[in-house]
Amino acid sequence: MIIENDCLDDIQRIWNENNKGYISYECNQRSIKDKEMLKIVYKEQEKVYGYAVLYFGKDFCELEEYPNNIKNMPNKVAYIWEIVTDVNHLREGVATCILEYIRKKFKGYSVFSCINLSNTPSFRLHKKIGFKTIYEFKLDNNFEYAMMELK
């Protein structure tokens, strides 16, 4: 079951227990505290299995300190700020369910997501859902990223 803007303690717990360094503590705290960000939570039998946080500002590249090579920024934008699945529930379709929910709920939006290319499962899942790479870049930490878009 998908619920919105609930289970913030569980979001924090899942991030603490399952984040593999792809999301900074500062980003996670902002996502929890910012009431403008939408928290999408996958929950079954009172247990949270995963979540995603969406940001709706066109300035997401600047906030994340990513290069902005997006041509003609669309009017209706949703950016996946973070998405994390509990490690005990990987490969059970949790992230797929969350991304499908986002795709359906935000039909008519351009949904963006920035994926660390070393996070192969996330990159493959985004491609499976229909995200396309619009550009790749490297940051000072030498990690390579793909900015992806779902129209």
Side-chain angles (χ1 to χ4, degrees):
M1 161 175 59
I2 297 284
I3 57 175
E4 294 182 1
N5 294 325
D6 199 0
C7 306
L8 301 184
D9 290 340
D10 287 310
I11 288 174
Q12 181 69 66
R13 177 190 55 77
I14 288 174
W15 182 85
N16 284 330
E17 294 173 1
N18 300 280
N19 179 39
K20 295 196 178 350
Y22 298 119
I23 303 162
S24 72
Y25 179 77
E26 293 79 14
C27 282
N28 176 259
Q29 289 304 295
R30 178 177 181 159
S31 69
I32 290 171
K33 294 175 184 172
D34 189 331
K35 295 192 185 327
E36 298 297 314
M37 289 187 179
L38 176 64
K39 290 77 169 170
I40 298 171
V41 179
Y42 184 92
K43 184 176 183 178
E44 284 187 17
Q45 301 170 345
E46 300 305 310
K47 183 171 177 18
V48 172
Y49 287 32
Y51 71 93
V53 178
L54 271 67
Y55 177 76
F56 298 96
K58 293 181 181 186
D59 61 341
F60 59 87
C61 286
E62 292 77 17
L63 290 175
E64 293 271 54
E65 299 180 359
Y66 297 152
N68 185 352
N69 298 331
I70 299 169
K71 308 269 191 266
N72 303 316
M73 181 69 78
N75 287 327
K76 294 168 78 175
V77 171
Y79 173 69
I80 300 175
W81 189 265
E82 63 188 54
I83 182 167
V84 181
T85 300
D86 186 314
V87 73
N88 297 312
H89 299 284
L90 296 175
R91 300 187 188 273
E92 293 179 11
V94 173
T96 301
C97 183
I98 292 169
L99 288 173
E100 289 288 354
Y101 179 86
I102 291 168
R103 181 169 60 168
K104 288 176 187 166
K105 180 169 179 134
F106 294 101
K107 188 175 179 140
Y109 280 68
S110 286
V111 180
F112 293 92
S113 188
C114 188
I115 308 298
N116 183 316
L117 290 176
S118 67
N119 188 351
T120 306
S122 183
F123 183 73
R124 285 185 184 149
L125 174 60
H126 279 75
K127 283 177 61 175
K128 178 180 131 186
I129 296 295
F131 282 82
K132 307 283 186 229
T133 299
I134 52 176
Y135 63 92
E136 293 182 7
F137 62 95
K138 190 181 242 186
L139 291 180
D140 291 340
N141 59 12
N142 285 325
F143 289 119
E144 294 183 39
Y145 297 87
M147 181 62 71
M148 303 182 83
E149 180 179 13
L150 176 68
K151 291 185 180 184

